Amino acid sequence: MKNIILAAAVALFIGMVGTPVWIRIVRRLGYGQMIREEGPSAHHGKRGTPTMGGAVFIVGSLAGYAAAHIFTQTPPTVSGALVLLLMTGLGLVGFVDDYIKVFKQRSLGLRSGAKMIGIILVGVVFAIGALNFPNGYDVTPASDRLSFLRDFGPSIGPYLFVLWALLLIAAVSNGVNLTDGLDGLAAGPAAMVLAAYVIIGNWQLRNSCFNDGLAPNCYSVRDPLDLAVVAAAVLGGVFGFLWWNAPPAKVFMGDTGSLALGGVLVGLAILTRTQFLLAILAGLIVMITLSVMIQVSVFRVTFKLKGTGKRVFKMAPLQHHFELSGWAETTIVVRFWLMSALFVAVGVGLFYLEWMPKG
């Protein structure tokens, strides 16, 4: 528990203090956010807002994790290192994307193909590492089975697992990126999911199959406590960032932050053996991603059939539909936060109910 508190506290401090410093640096360099011309007109006033703020909570998370292990004199684990590697690697891909945007003063950064190559390279390293490094019980950070509340079904083999992990990584990281369209909209729900993983990691530790007294329905997760420490460190960093990102935002996380957050969420889901549970915990992100998929699919199909594309929403992602419907930005953010809290509550409730001894 000390590790969790220390990691969150250090990361929170760095996020609170470091973000305004980062804002001043970015302003001095003239690295302001570019806004898409086809986006809602209300967003044009946000042009020039300092961006790449995700770099601060990435650094804060790494520092918080390191400080927790140094102060408690406990060694870091492979599981924790892998999730942080995934977060940092995707954050670097996003940083390059953001830098191109602000350097060339355009709303598009890396080409989609180049960005996907970067995501794949980082994801492959994570997935391969997750299937190696067994502990004394011959348990690796991840298993080559699918999981919901724990592993289920037969092994899918290492090759299919790597492809499955890449699909999850690409889907979740891009989902967070799509959600990051209003001030605080991505950071708030991400923080709630991270808080859920602090609870899940603690619960898995207390009911681990590697404890002296085996609990009923125990969990075969390699390093549950350290995964909770990682979740707490990132949670603290995001809290510190959110203080400055709350409407009206003084800084944006950019692709640097959104890709990194997607990486840490999916990394925690894979290593805690809760892959499909993440779809519930991050239900708001899933809903926003589906709105884009529906919009694009319907438009393309109707365009081919009728020569005129039909739109389901006034604009996608979903938050922009409500903006164009007359909702205030803060109203959308708060209501979406409430929806996210409900998704997280349902997810954590299912996790707990599954564990309860039957009978």
Side-chain angles (χ1 to χ4, degrees):
M1 185 59 73
K2 289 181 180 178
N3 291 35
I4 292 174
I5 296 173
L6 279 169
V10 171
L12 174 62
F13 177 79
I14 292 175
M16 290 289 292
V17 175
T19 303
V21 175
W22 179 257
I23 291 172
R24 288 195 292 271
I25 292 172
V26 172
R27 279 180 175 161
R28 191 172 299 137
L29 295 173
Y31 290 167
Q33 177 71 35
M34 301 302 298
I35 303 297
R36 291 184 305 148
E37 292 297 328
E38 63 271 22
S41 58
H43 288 208
H44 294 168
K46 299 182 180 183
R47 182 184 177 95
T49 302
T51 187
M52 295 184 282
V56 180
F57 66 70
I58 291 174
V59 172
S61 302
L62 296 173
Y65 178 82
H69 285 286
I70 291 171
F71 291 146
T72 59
Q73 297 182 346
T74 55
T77 67
V78 173
S79 297
L82 283 171
V83 176
L84 292 174
L85 171 69
L86 183 60
M87 176 188 73
T88 307
L90 294 186
L92 286 173
V93 174
F95 187 87
V96 173
D97 185 58
D98 286 333
Y99 183 78
I100 292 174
K101 291 176 186 176
V102 297
F103 183 74
K104 294 192 175 182
Q105 292 293 290
R106 66 188 194 192
S107 60
L108 296 176
L110 280 173
R111 295 184 182 275
S112 58
K115 184 186 288 188
M116 187 55 64
I117 289 173
I119 292 173
I120 289 173
L121 289 175
V122 176
V124 166
V125 172
F126 168 82
I128 293 175
L131 291 179
N132 289 280
F133 306 104
N135 62 6
Y137 297 93
D138 202 33
V139 174
T140 54
S143 73
D144 55 1
R145 297 166 62 192
L146 301 179
S147 62
F148 177 39
L149 304 173
R150 60 180 74 238
D151 288 335
F152 67 86
S155 165
I156 62 174
Y159 297 110
L160 279 179
F161 170 79
V162 171
L163 291 175
W164 171 241
L166 288 176
L167 176 63
L168 290 177
I169 291 166
V172 178
S173 58
N174 282 290
V176 177
N177 187 255
L178 291 171
T179 305
D180 185 33
L182 300 178
D183 298 349
L185 185 57
M192 296 177 199
V193 178
L194 288 166
Y197 274 112
V198 174
I199 296 171
I200 288 171
N202 256 303
W203 194 259
Q204 290 177 334
L205 172 69
R206 295 175 183 276
N207 299 281
S208 173
C209 294
F210 312 131
N211 291 339
D212 292 336
L214 292 181
N217 299 331
C218 64
Y219 300 97
S220 298
V221 176
R222 189 188 191 280
D223 306 297
L225 175 60
D226 211 41
L227 292 173
V229 172
V230 170
V234 183
L235 175 61
V238 171
F239 261 35
F241 167 80
L242 188 56
W243 181 269
W244 304 100
N245 181 241
K250 293 180 173 58
V251 62
F252 297 145
M253 69 170 68
D255 282 20
T256 306
S258 60
L259 294 185
L261 279 180
V264 74
L265 294 183
V266 75
L268 290 168
I270 291 174
L271 300 195
T272 59
R273 319 292 174 89
T274 56
Q275 296 162 13
F276 286 110
L277 181 63
L278 180 61
I280 298 175
L281 294 172
L284 177 68
I285 295 169
V286 172
M287 187 174 68
I288 288 174
T289 304
L290 286 175
S291 73
V292 175
M293 296 172 65
I294 292 169
Q295 183 88 322
V296 172
S297 299
V298 171
F299 184 88
R300 287 180 176 175
V301 170
T302 54
F303 184 82
K304 288 182 179 179
L305 293 176
K306 300 180 179 179
T308 303
K310 181 180 179 181
R311 290 178 171 83
V312 178
F313 306 104
K314 294 179 180 179
M315 183 178 288
L318 187 60
Q319 60 268 28
H320 298 325
H321 168 81
F322 290 107
E323 274 192 289
L324 296 182
S325 297
W327 289 25
E329 180 173 352
T330 51
T331 300
I332 299 169
V333 171
V334 171
R335 287 177 178 173
F336 275 36
W337 280 8
L338 292 173
M339 292 171 62
S340 180
L342 288 173
F343 280 121
V344 170
V346 170
V348 173
L350 285 173
F351 181 82
Y352 177 73
L353 286 174
E354 186 272 345
W355 174 86
M356 290 181 66
K358 304 301 185 292

